[in-house]
Amino acid sequence: QHKDKYTFALNESTLLYNCKRGSCGTSGTFKQLLREYGEMVEKNYELHRSAPKVFKVPASKIQPAGKKVADYLELRRISRKIWEHYGVGEVNGNIALPYYEDGKLVLMKFRAPQKHDGKGPKAWREEGGKAVFWGMDKCDFSRPLTICEGEMDMLALAECGVVNVTSVPSGAEDLSCVDNCWDWLKQFDKIILFGDTDEAGKEMVKKLVYKLGEDRCYTVENKYKDANELLFKEGPEAVREVIE
């Protein structure tokens, strides 16, 4: 009727397919799908599957945050109660940000405890870890999820009493966390996106809306660069207002 060539989805594990057009709903085995298109069915047909990616468990041993790290976080208006809640510590004098999934450490990220001078990377990750959302284990599926562009912004929102807040692991550069955490993400009915107001941040929000679905995404309007700057300039109430 619509002259479509392909409208089906195929499950690589079960080799079952179903038509995605609502008025159809046809489903069956992959062999039945081949016959539907007049293709030859091999006796022992096996769909090519890519091997699951193997991630490395972080080797860095996180230590309690020292004075320099604690002072920097306080300067960013983040209280000890909040950053300790998310396991922030120290490795080799740098701020250590541990990422957990189902209670297991899967990624370690670092940043220097000082304002970035533009030389070298602002933050970096231990190689081989799994890109997931920071703080995802502390979220409740019955509440809206808020996604930020960085850990400092996430801590700023948490400091203001915003619950169910997470951060992508590498700003706007790497959104593989969406694929890695899809089963977790699909359980949220409402997702609030709080990106930076620069071009990279706007592009990240645009990509996330596309990946997560327009029907459940809401975007925050902020006149400052990011959530942490809003907290610094106008205080917690202003942060809660833009979220609302």
Side-chain angles (χ1 to χ4, degrees):
Q1 177 186 354
H2 296 279
K3 310 299 182 187
D4 290 331
K5 190 173 182 181
Y6 304 114
T7 60
F8 60 86
L10 179 66
N11 186 308
E12 292 188 9
S13 300
T14 63
L15 297 184
L16 298 177
Y17 82 95
N18 69 295
C19 177
K20 302 305 289 183
R21 187 174 293 285
S23 60
C24 178
T26 297
S27 61
T29 66
F30 185 57
K31 289 183 178 180
Q32 290 171 330
L33 179 65
L34 289 174
R35 291 194 187 100
E36 183 74 21
Y37 285 98
E39 299 290 338
M40 183 181 296
V41 179
E42 297 179 19
K43 187 174 182 180
N44 296 312
Y45 193 90
E46 189 72 26
L47 187 69
H48 274 298
R49 299 183 182 89
S50 57
K53 187 172 181 180
V54 177
F55 300 100
K56 288 172 59 178
V57 177
S60 299
K61 302 300 180 184
I62 192 168
Q63 302 294 327
K67 186 176 185 305
K68 191 171 182 180
V69 168
D71 287 349
Y72 176 75
L73 292 170
E74 183 179 346
L75 185 67
R76 299 289 296 256
R77 304 284 176 92
I78 311 299
S79 66
R80 178 178 288 271
K81 177 183 176 182
I82 292 297
W83 56 259
E84 283 189 342
H85 177 69
Y86 287 100
V88 177
E90 183 176 322
V91 171
N92 298 327
N94 294 303
I95 301 171
L97 305 158
Y99 280 65
Y100 292 91
E101 182 183 39
D102 297 327
K104 298 177 181 178
L105 181 65
V106 296
L107 176 68
M108 188 73 80
K109 188 174 173 184
F110 313 97
R111 62 177 294 156
Q114 59 202 30
K115 184 175 176 62
H116 187 233
D117 60 6
K119 299 177 182 178
K122 184 177 181 180
W124 60 98
R125 293 165 21 175
E126 185 173 323
E127 290 186 8
K130 184 179 181 181
V132 298
F133 289 87
W134 194 43
M136 61 187 288
D137 274 10
K138 299 184 182 297
C139 292
D140 178 356
F141 296 123
S142 68
R143 299 182 178 214
L145 175 69
T146 299
I147 299 176
C148 295
E149 192 172 332
E151 295 88 359
M152 294 301 113
D153 295 323
M154 174 186 153
L155 291 173
L157 293 185
E159 185 68 38
C160 299
V162 178
V163 297
N164 265 31
V165 60
T166 61
S167 168
V168 295
S170 291
E173 298 173 9
D174 177 15
L175 297 181
S176 60
C177 51
V178 175
D179 294 328
N180 292 339
C181 304
W182 183 250
D183 288 340
W184 177 78
L185 284 166
K186 69 183 182 183
Q187 298 180 74
F188 293 97
D189 295 326
K190 181 178 181 179
I191 298 177
I192 300 166
L193 304 176
F194 200 146
D196 290 2
T197 55
D198 58 14
E199 287 307 311
K202 292 175 182 177
E203 184 64 20
M204 183 198 76
V205 168
K206 181 179 177 181
K207 288 179 179 178
L208 284 174
V209 169
Y210 175 77
K211 286 175 173 287
L212 300 173
E214 290 185 357
D215 58 323
R216 60 174 176 160
C217 286
Y218 297 76
T219 58
V220 173
E221 295 295 329
N222 176 25
K223 64 182 179 181
Y224 296 102
K225 177 185 176 295
D226 52 34
N228 196 214
E229 185 174 327
L230 174 61
L231 169 62
F232 193 85
K233 294 287 182 65
E234 296 195 15
E237 185 60 35
V239 175
R240 289 191 290 269
E241 282 181 8
V242 297
I243 289 286
E244 289 300 319

